[in-house]
Amino acid sequence: GDFAKTLGVTQSYLSDLENDRKPISPKKAAEVAEKLGQPVKQFVRLAIQDVLERSGLHYEVELGDVA
């Protein structure tokens, strides 16, 4: 519905993210963070960590300052 429109995604894509059926790409995570006025680095870090965990790799991801 409205939240999916705000984020610029389809309702089915948002449902997949909410129900942990799909990972969000780091690029899409950055776009969502910007639209929500949230820290981009934190959203990107979590997206990267999720992709790693889905691959069976358990690492803490830390991002330095981005130019």
Side-chain angles (χ1 to χ4, degrees):
D2 291 339
F3 191 56
K5 280 185 185 174
T6 298
L7 299 181
V9 299
T10 64
Q11 185 63 47
S12 63
Y13 178 76
L14 181 58
S15 178
D16 284 343
L17 294 178
E18 290 172 335
N19 293 293
D20 204 29
R21 290 189 293 259
K22 260 187 189 168
I24 187 168
S25 72
K27 181 179 179 179
K28 181 56 85 176
E31 292 171 7
V32 166
E34 286 179 354
K35 289 178 182 176
L36 296 177
Q38 296 296 313
V40 171
K41 190 189 299 187
Q42 177 70 357
F43 275 49
V44 170
R45 183 185 72 76
L46 291 171
I48 293 170
Q49 199 159 319
D50 185 48
V51 170
L52 288 174
E53 287 175 1
R54 287 171 186 270
S55 299
L57 302 170
H58 299 281
Y59 293 103
E60 279 294 315
V61 176
E62 291 187 27
L63 301 176
D65 290 333
V66 181

